[in-house]
Amino acid sequence: MSFNSCKPSEAEPEFLLRTALLVNEEHTWYKAFVYFGEILEERTKGRIKVEVYPSEQLAKEVEAIRLIQADVIDMTTTGSTLTNWFEVATFCELPFLMQDSTDMNRYINGPIGKLMEEEMINKSGLRPLGHFERGPRHLTSNRPIRHPDDLDGLIVRIPNVPSFVTLWKALGAKPTPMAFSEVFTSLQQGTIEAQENPFALVNNAGFAEVQKYLNLTGHVMSWVYPVMGEKQFERFPPDLKKIFLEAAKDMQAYEHHLFLENEKNVQEELKAKGMEFIEVDKDAFQQKCEEAIYNSLSPDMKKIYNQLKEE
Ligand code: CS2
């Protein structure tokens, strides 16, 4: 955050918040942060301004987290990549755990969501500003995948998330962690053969140009957190903290509306761009990886997992 000790002028805000996003300008997260900036500027009479950098132009996801921790930039979106800082973050994208948005809201608003938010501040120095719901993650590829046996060493790009490595290894693929902004070119050049993401991001990143099949694996239901550095947040005077947190709630509501609107058409858009949708044997996928995922959890996380399954 740039902090100006001199009097704020029209051109220079007291607080300039730089935001690194992995999505491009068409995605709901980008639009939500732009909206956040607009309402903050208006409600603080220009004391807070937000700059939003799309497509990992400012930083890739892991780098963005580190730069926020180092107080160089201020905001980003992140989810289970935070498992690299604290283990409970794994539950926001654990394969075959949540079925739908009802489960998701129950987790976010229950003890697990509370624990995640505490750990996020204490262990990673990030403050969650709400959450953005996402659609299920599906596998895209250039040959149809109906059953785990079809994977047969397929090179699948995954985000830098430990449980995703466990999942795709157990299923018989070759998981390759990679920053999001490198995926398109790597698919084009053939250094990776597949990737997995929700419809919205597949569409946003133009993957239909380089991937023919959308295999409906639905292996992960998830959300991401829009986050801000805790240090940076603590630097706000009390009046700005209040305005900031209220505006963050409005950003979440705005994003959710955009998300639901986009979900209505996104599948048709992907089909129109030439993608073929493939029904998969979801049970076979789940059965083949469940034990490996469970075994990869620490004893504490196993306890939480069992509780969540029982609910
Ligand atoms: C994205 C991320 O990189 C990706 O594939 O879908 O949002 C991913 O879910 C995150 O790395 C989670 O932290």
Side-chain angles (χ1 to χ4, degrees), residues 22 29 61 78-81 93 134 137 157 159 161 180 196-197 201 224:
L22 60 89
W29 302 349
E61 188 179 354
T78 189
S80 61
T81 295
E93 285 183 302
R134 309 179 77 178
R137 295 179 86 96
R157 176 273 173 181
V161 176
F180 188 72
E196 46 80 57
N197 253 303
L201 202 48
V224 290

Side-chain angles (χ1 to χ4, degrees), residues 36 39-45 47-48 233 236-250:
F36 190 35
I39 57 177
L40 277 173
E41 204 174 326
E42 189 188 306
R43 294 179 194 175
T44 64
K45 306 201 170 38
R47 291 173 71 194
I48 300 183
F233 176 76
F236 287 148
D239 61 327
L240 288 191
K241 277 187 181 157
K242 191 164 172 275
I243 297 175
F244 186 82
L245 293 177
E246 271 165 20
K249 275 194 195 141
D250 294 342

